[in-house]
Amino acid sequence: MLLAIDCGNTNTVFSIWNGVDFVATWRTATEHQRTADQYYVWLSTLMAFQRIEANITDVIISSTVPRVVFNLRVLSDRYFNCRPLVVGKPECRLPVDVRVDEGTAVGPDRLVNTVAGFDLYGGDLIVVDFGTATTFDVVAADGAYIGGAIAPGVNLSLQALHEAAAALPHVDITKPQAVVGTNTVACMQSGVFWGYVGLVREICSQIRAERDRPMKIISTGGLAPLFQQTEALFDAYVDELTMHGLTVIHKYNRDNST
């Protein structure tokens, strides 16, 4: 079985893939101090609790936090007796091209989302990922990653608003009942929610105009279901898009190994 690991700035997701389905998925806070032994104790405890017997033979890692990769490599080597594939490293090949400025480092999560989106929906896509940052990834007709846009994440914006303005409380993002708020919390929720609806709609509109062709918009990430409530914003929502991309990349490398 395959252990797919997606390490983001806020959370790290572990999923076990049996070749057909994900049999289990768990999340933990991303902490670069966590050792391989701690990862294994946590993971094996959850597997035992859910009575999951998985013979993990392969590991693939996507990480936007370089400092955690070493301990995840050790986890793979020590406890699963295999060398992990790490997206972004030369030995991990992608089934799509990357066409950006020479010397540009593209986040592994953006490459994985590109692979997943192309596998599920074909080319001419905009993938909107609501994570710590809100990213827009543009997928060409042939599946190549050709760039995109990065905006502050929703929760990051709320946190900055709370920390920079002493009188403003910390609030949770939700779809407000009305655009015009009648109290501080409602005003903040309206500003952030409708502000991000406008941000997503306008960036996607400008990308479509610049590309001069129809393009599907796919959303993913923790807050995507919230914004999916807004009509005509996305063509589809995929819960675990990154995890699907990791399975596609793993299969591509396995099938094309020499």
Side-chain angles (χ1 to χ4, degrees):
M1 290 188 182
L2 172 68
L3 175 62
I5 305 173
D6 173 31
C7 178
N9 290 294
T10 304
N11 292 316
T12 300
V13 182
F14 292 73
S15 290
I16 297 176
W17 172 256
N18 65 6
V20 178
D21 298 302
F22 287 110
V23 298
T25 296
W26 303 286
R27 295 174 184 269
T28 185
T30 299
E31 297 176 357
H32 71 270
Q33 304 96 330
R34 187 168 293 166
T35 66
D37 302 324
Q38 289 174 313
Y39 278 121
Y40 183 73
V41 169
W42 172 80
L43 191 60
S44 60
T45 300
L46 287 171
M47 291 172 64
F49 180 75
Q50 294 185 222
R51 298 179 180 178
I52 296 173
E53 296 183 6
N55 179 25
I56 294 172
T57 57
D58 298 90
V59 177
I60 185 168
I61 302 166
S62 169
S63 177
T64 59
V65 186
R67 288 195 293 176
V68 306
V69 174
F70 173 78
N71 283 319
L72 291 174
R73 282 184 179 273
V74 175
L75 169 72
S76 179
D77 291 335
R78 180 178 297 167
Y79 291 104
F80 304 122
N81 195 32
C82 67
R83 181 180 178 87
L85 273 173
V86 180
V87 179
K89 299 298 183 183
E91 64 271 16
C92 182
R93 291 174 289 180
L94 299 176
V96 300
D97 289 336
V98 179
R99 300 184 192 132
V100 294
D101 293 343
E102 187 175 352
T104 300
V106 180
D109 55 331
R110 306 182 75 181
L111 298 177
V112 176
N113 283 349
T114 295
V115 170
F118 183 65
D119 182 70
L120 293 172
Y121 297 98
D124 287 327
L125 296 179
I126 304 170
V127 180
V128 185
D129 190 346
F130 292 91
T132 305
T134 301
T135 58
F136 300 77
D137 298 316
V138 182
V139 185
D142 63 351
Y145 173 82
I146 57 173
I150 302 175
V154 179
N155 286 322
L156 194 62
S157 295
L158 280 169
Q159 181 182 344
L161 197 60
H162 167 62
E163 292 179 353
L168 296 181
H170 176 76
V171 300
D172 293 325
I173 181 64
T174 187
K175 184 178 181 179
Q177 294 181 345
V179 177
V180 180
T182 55
N183 57 69
T184 302
V185 170
C187 288
M188 293 175 65
Q189 289 175 331
S190 177
V192 171
F193 180 84
W194 291 112
Y196 269 84
V197 168
L199 180 147
V200 171
R201 183 171 283 139
E202 184 62 19
I203 289 179
C204 290
S205 175
Q206 291 295 327
I207 291 172
R208 281 172 161 168
E210 187 173 285
R211 296 288 294 162
D212 192 24
R213 66 186 65 197
M215 301 187 76
K216 288 183 180 178
I217 304 173
I218 311 302
S219 69
T220 191
L223 288 175
L226 173 66
F227 291 95
Q228 186 72 358
Q229 299 175 30
T230 304
E231 65 281 359
L233 199 58
F234 308 115
D235 294 297
Y237 161 69
V238 183
D239 183 17
E240 297 293 351
L241 185 70
T242 306
M243 284 300 170
H244 177 75
L246 287 174
T247 67
V248 174
I249 293 171
H250 172 263
K251 183 178 185 301
Y252 179 78
N253 280 267
R254 183 193 64 195
D255 294 347
N256 291 278
S257 61
T258 55

